[in-house]
């Protein structure tokens, strides 16, 4: 027999008379939001690296990453339909364990993953813009373009989620067009009898790695291309009837992106030899240039990539601001983060706060663009999110003791256990094959989170003492 859980420090009502967020997202916009968030620069850059780990069977890590994401998505669906509020994983972990420190670290880890991803995307946007227009500019100008782009994202977010999601629709269409070009041009090459399908089932691993470890390492890379589905739960308060439409749109979005990734990876290794593919910094451009030498992909791809990373930045900043708004509203973070614009009904304080952090990160990355830390940020993002996913899968089981007020999606008893185990497998160094640098960066970020938590705890304690 389940029992209603006593009220936790996270309350589910808005405080201070703040207006609620505006519900503007229906099934179509939610689906495009999910697809646009998953698709991004990952597939444009990771295909060659994954092929370098496992050889021609580069589609297998993408398929495994899709399966892990799908299992964890079921846990997210149970929780978002049971608790349709902003804050996502941080809210679920807090309800399950009631530990402010753990909640703060989860919130901080997810926020860092979004802001870091958006900051890197802003830098990539500026670099692609310069390449696309043939601008011969230095690092300082690239930095200014990146900062200006992030301010543009700030303006769009402040304008309203409706406008943000409509821009996401346009940018998602551009992202999809680039991947469809790769698939269609490759199919033309394949149907002409020029492809070598024997490479698709060939494993080629480094001499110091077994096939199993190589697949694990490649899956850890591929999972970075699958993350993004979890961001949508932070938009729950701005979605119409989330309990009904979230499951259908989540499964549809994951299915579409998973299929595209597998098709792109199969086409890539069938058209281009693995060695050439793994050495290319723009593997999909190499695929199209090999399949159709006269196709002007070299001129087109920087602009497609520019729109792809712009979409990643926009959605990640949407997610980060909604996460902070939700936690400010629930009393885990300072309440000023829950301030909502009375006219636009957007979380203005959280949007400005996350943008300031992003501007600082962009500046830091741009001051040392050749630093080895930069290429590791993608893997660190995946590492942090997989650790959070493991906690979310466990939270589902813990929260089964709470009686649901309305009907909700159920992930069953087995899937959350499998999800927690697989996520932890891809986190641990001896099983995932991750480089040590990823753990070092994650450790520094979490240490910073601990410092912020101590400062927040001290400020609240002093405030309570003065009130007494």
């Amino acid at each position: 027999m389940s029992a209603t859980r006593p009220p936790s420090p996270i309350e589910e009502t808005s405080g201070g008379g703040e207006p609620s967020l505006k519900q503007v997202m229906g099934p179509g916009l939610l689906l495009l939001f999910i697809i646009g968030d998953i698709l991004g620069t990952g597939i444009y850059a990771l295909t060659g690296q994954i092929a370098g780990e496992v050889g021609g069977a580069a589609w297998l890590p993408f398929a495994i990453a899709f399966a892990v994401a799908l299992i964890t998505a079921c846990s997210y669906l149970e929780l978002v339909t049971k608790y349709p509020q902003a804050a996502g994983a941080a809210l679920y972990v807090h309800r399950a364990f009631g530990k402010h420190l753990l909640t703060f670290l989860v919130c901080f880890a997810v926020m860092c993953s979004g802001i870091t991803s958006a900051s890197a995307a802003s830098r990539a946007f500026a670099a692609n813009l310069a390449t696309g227009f043939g601008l011969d500019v230095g690092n300082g100008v690239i930095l200014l373009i990146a900062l200006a782009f992030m301010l543009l994202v700030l303006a769009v977010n402040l304008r309203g989620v409706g406008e943000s999601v409509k821009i996401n629709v346009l940018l998602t269409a551009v992202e999809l067009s680039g991947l469809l070009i790769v698939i269609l041009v490759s199919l033309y090459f394949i149907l002409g009898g020029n492809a070598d399908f024997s490479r698709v089932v060939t494993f080629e691993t480094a001499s110091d790695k077994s096939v199993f470890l190589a697949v694990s390492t490649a899956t850890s890379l591929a999972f970075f291309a699958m993350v993004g589905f979890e961001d949508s739960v932070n938009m729950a308060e701005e979605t119409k009837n989330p309990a009904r439409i979230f499951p259908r749109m989540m499964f549809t979005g994951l299915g579409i992106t998973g299929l595209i990734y597998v098709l792109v990876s199969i086409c890539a290794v069938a058209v281009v030899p693995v060695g050439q593919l793994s050495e290319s910094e723009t593997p999909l451009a190499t695929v199209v240039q090999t399949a159709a030498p006269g196709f002007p992909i070299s001129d087109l791809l920087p602009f497609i990539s520019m729109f792809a990373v712009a979409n990643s930045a926009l959605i990640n900043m949407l997610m980060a601001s909604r996460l902070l708004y939700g936690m400010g509203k629930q009393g885990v973070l300072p309440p000023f983060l829950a301030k909502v614009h009375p006219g636009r009904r957007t979380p203005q304080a959280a949007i400005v706060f996350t943008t300031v952090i992003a501007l600082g990160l962009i500046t830091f990355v741009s001051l040392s663009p050749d630093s080895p830390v930069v290429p590791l940020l993608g893997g660190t993002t995946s590492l942090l999110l997989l650790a959070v996913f493991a906690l979310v899968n466990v939270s589902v089981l813990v929260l089964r003791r709470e009686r649901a007020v309305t009907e909700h999606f159920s992930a069953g008893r087995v899937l959350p256990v499998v999800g927690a185990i697989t996520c932890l497998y891809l986190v641990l160094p001896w099983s995932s094959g991750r480089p040590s640098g990823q753990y070092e960066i994650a450790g520094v970020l979490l240490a910073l989170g601990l410092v912020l938590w101590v400062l927040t705890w001290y400020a609240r304690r002093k405030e309570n003492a003065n009130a007494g």
Side-chain angles (χ1 to χ4, degrees), residues 192-218:
N194 300 309
D196 183 0
F197 268 102
S198 65
R199 291 195 291 258
V200 176
V201 293
T202 302
F203 284 94
E204 298 176 21
T205 63
S207 58
D208 60 337
K209 287 185 179 180
S210 64
V211 171
F212 192 76
L213 182 58
V215 171
S216 297
T217 303

Side-chain angles (χ1 to χ4, degrees), residues 334-369:
F336 81 88
L337 292 171
K339 294 292 183 182
V340 175
H341 190 281
R344 294 291 177 187
R345 292 166 67 183
T346 54
Q348 56 182 359
I351 291 172
V352 173
F353 188 80
T354 51
T355 302
V356 170
I357 296 175
L359 293 174
L361 282 172
I362 295 168
T363 304
F364 172 76
V365 170
S366 298
L367 290 177
S368 54

Side-chain angles (χ1 to χ4, degrees), residues 44-332:
Y44 285 95
L46 286 177
T47 307
Q49 297 177 41
I50 292 170
E53 288 287 344
V54 297
W59 54 271
L60 182 60
F62 281 112
I64 297 174
F66 165 73
V68 175
L70 187 63
I71 292 170
T72 299
C74 290
S75 293
Y76 268 95
L77 285 173
E78 176 167 336
L79 293 169
V80 75
T81 54
K82 193 175 182 181
Y83 312 107
Q85 298 132 20
L91 172 64
Y92 310 146
V93 171
H94 193 90
R95 291 195 69 100
F97 302 103
K99 303 295 183 183
H100 275 279
L101 176 56
L102 183 61
T103 303
F104 193 94
L105 289 177
V106 169
C107 177
F108 190 79
V110 176
M111 184 195 72
C112 281
S113 71
I115 296 178
T116 303
S117 177
S119 301
S122 298
R123 172 76 192 192
F125 176 91
N128 278 288
L129 185 146
T131 300
F133 286 102
L135 303 177
D136 185 14
V137 295
N139 185 53
V141 176
I142 295 293
L143 170 59
L144 291 177
I145 295 173
L147 294 175
F149 170 72
M150 186 52 67
L151 292 176
L152 178 61
V153 171
L154 166 69
V156 173
N157 280 348
L158 286 174
R159 176 74 181 175
V161 70
E163 287 77 4
S164 300
V165 175
K166 288 173 184 175
I167 292 176
N168 168 60
V169 171
L170 173 63
L171 298 180
T172 299
V174 176
E175 286 180 298
L176 282 171
S177 68
L179 296 175
L180 290 176
I181 287 173
V182 174
I183 293 172
L184 292 175
V185 171
S186 298
L187 286 176
Y188 174 80
F189 185 79
I190 291 168
L191 292 175
N194 300 309
D196 183 0
F197 268 102
S198 65
R199 291 195 291 258
V200 176
V201 293
T202 302
F203 284 94
E204 298 176 21
T205 63
S207 58
D208 60 337
K209 287 185 179 180
S210 64
V211 171
F212 192 76
L213 182 58
V215 171
S216 297
T217 303
T219 301
S220 298
L221 286 171
F223 198 83
F224 177 68
M226 289 302 305
V227 298
F229 66 90
E230 78 286 351
D231 288 347
S232 61
V233 302
N234 293 296
M235 310 300 293
E237 290 189 35
E238 291 159 289
T239 301
K240 302 172 184 176
N241 197 359
R244 183 176 65 86
I245 70 172
F246 250 99
R248 290 187 291 115
M249 296 304 102
M250 182 77 82
F251 289 137
T252 303
L254 277 169
I256 291 173
T257 52
L259 178 62
I260 289 174
Y261 284 178
V262 170
L263 286 176
V264 168
S265 56
I266 290 175
C267 290
V269 295
V271 172
V272 181
V274 172
Q276 182 182 351
L277 192 68
S278 62
E279 292 173 1
S280 174
E281 294 184 3
T282 54
L284 299 190
T286 302
V287 171
V288 177
Q289 288 168 345
T290 302
F295 197 84
I297 189 65
S298 298
D299 298 329
L300 185 63
L301 192 64
F303 294 100
I304 294 176
S305 298
M306 188 171 70
F307 283 110
V309 298
N311 202 26
S312 297
L314 175 62
I315 292 179
N316 275 286
M317 293 306 290
L318 273 172
M319 177 275 295
S321 61
R322 268 57 180 184
L323 190 154
L324 288 189
Y325 156 80
M327 298 313 293
K329 177 181 173 183
Q330 306 299 344
V332 176

